Amino acid sequence: FSITYSAEIDVQKTIIQAQNNQKQALYDLAVLKHMGLDGVEINLPEAIELYKRASALGHRSANQNLGLIYYKGVGVKVDYVEAAKWFEIGAERNLEDSKRMLLIMNKYELIPRNEKKLESLLIEFAHKGKQEDIKQLADYYFYTKQNMQLAEKPTMLLAEQGLAQYQSRLGMIYYQGIDEKPDFKKAYPWFLKAAEANDLNGKISVANFYLGGLG
């Protein structure tokens, strides 16, 4: 998550506009003082104050940058609670990077874990269709929630994309049973697909089916 700013900044013009409380100028000047760009000396306290003023006027990226400052401890002590506060504002303003940072902080319990927020963000990102995000949701339901009914749909999406690990996982979901009702006929074909793709768990599961005469 990198700092974003205008490619070309007229420093003197930006200073004047910032003095007139123009949102983008406040943000651009904050970046210049944050990063030490275009001959402007690094001044973190002033950069933070400028970001806060830009945020108060509705600048979304100002919140992200403030969050990163406290998250990484750039010129200040690492403060995850303060970082989360700014990421939360960015997320409320629909900034994806801020939402992803909140997801990370909740997932790894860098702040008191908000299970409802975590699940909501996992679902939101998974619905956008990126494979890694669907994996996160599938893993969350399977391992953290241990809810086979909720795990089935995202795991199915990944299994249908040919991911052997999730083909085997889908077989296990049916093997364990949704609502604790095992369905060996549904489980076996997915274990077989995984085994044919050289997945170790798939191979072991197929062997167990033959050993136990299941399905």
Side-chain angles (χ1 to χ4, degrees), residues 166-177 181-194 202 205-206 209 214-215:
Y166 289 90
Q167 290 172 340
S168 181
R169 173 91 56 82
L170 188 58
M172 185 57 65
I173 287 171
Y174 293 132
Y175 181 85
Q176 292 181 3
K181 296 176 182 176
D183 189 332
F184 298 141
K185 287 185 178 180
K186 277 189 175 182
Y188 176 75
W190 288 109
F191 283 138
L192 186 60
K193 281 180 182 289
S205 298
V206 169
F209 266 66
L214 303 173

Side-chain angles (χ1 to χ4, degrees), residues 133-143 150-151 154-155 158 166 169:
D133 291 328
I134 299 170
K135 283 182 181 180
Q136 283 201 83
L137 182 62
D139 293 350
Y140 174 74
Y141 283 141
F142 187 81
Y143 290 116
L150 292 175
T155 306
L158 297 165
Y166 289 90
R169 173 91 56 82

Side-chain angles (χ1 to χ4, degrees), residues 15-174:
I15 291 171
I16 293 169
Q17 290 174 336
Q19 289 170 346
N20 292 326
N21 219 35
Q22 292 187 26
K23 178 173 65 176
Q24 186 61 43
L26 288 167
Y27 175 80
D28 287 341
L29 187 57
V31 171
L32 294 176
K33 290 177 180 286
H34 182 178
M35 306 296 290
L37 301 171
D38 294 346
V40 177
E41 289 187 9
I42 291 176
N43 189 322
L44 261 298
E46 288 187 14
I48 289 170
E49 185 58 34
L50 288 163
Y51 280 137
K52 288 180 178 178
R53 287 171 62 191
S55 172
L57 294 171
H59 199 293
R60 298 192 307 162
S61 294
N63 303 293
Q64 174 70 4
N65 292 2
L66 282 165
L68 288 172
I69 285 171
Y70 290 105
Y71 180 82
K72 295 179 177 179
V74 180
V76 296
K77 288 184 178 180
V78 170
D79 187 335
Y80 292 137
V81 172
E82 186 70 11
K85 180 183 85 174
W86 294 106
F87 289 139
E88 188 69 51
I89 297 172
E92 288 170 0
R93 293 173 178 174
N94 205 30
L95 191 64
E96 181 169 325
D97 282 352
S98 290
K99 290 180 180 181
R100 287 198 178 274
M101 289 306 301
L102 280 177
L103 174 58
I104 289 168
M105 296 184 82
N106 274 283
K107 182 177 179 180
Y108 295 105
E109 299 186 29
L110 301 177
I111 53 176
R113 183 160 164 146
N114 183 329
E115 208 68 40
K116 187 176 180 181
K117 169 71 74 176
L118 174 60
E119 184 175 0
S120 173
L121 288 169
L122 286 168
I123 291 169
E124 179 179 341
F125 287 129
H127 281 173
K128 294 181 180 180
K130 283 177 123 180
Q131 192 176 86
E132 286 306 310
D133 291 328
I134 299 170
K135 283 182 181 180
Q136 283 201 83
L137 182 62
D139 293 350
Y140 174 74
Y141 283 141
F142 187 81
Y143 290 116
T144 304
K145 288 287 192 180
Q146 296 184 1
N147 187 318
M148 300 303 106
Q149 187 169 15
L150 292 175
E152 180 188 16
K153 184 176 179 181
T155 306
M156 175 73 79
L157 287 172
L158 297 165
E160 288 176 341
Q161 291 173 15
L163 299 184
Q165 176 187 349
Y166 289 90
Q167 290 172 340
S168 181
R169 173 91 56 82
L170 188 58
M172 185 57 65
I173 287 171
Y174 293 132

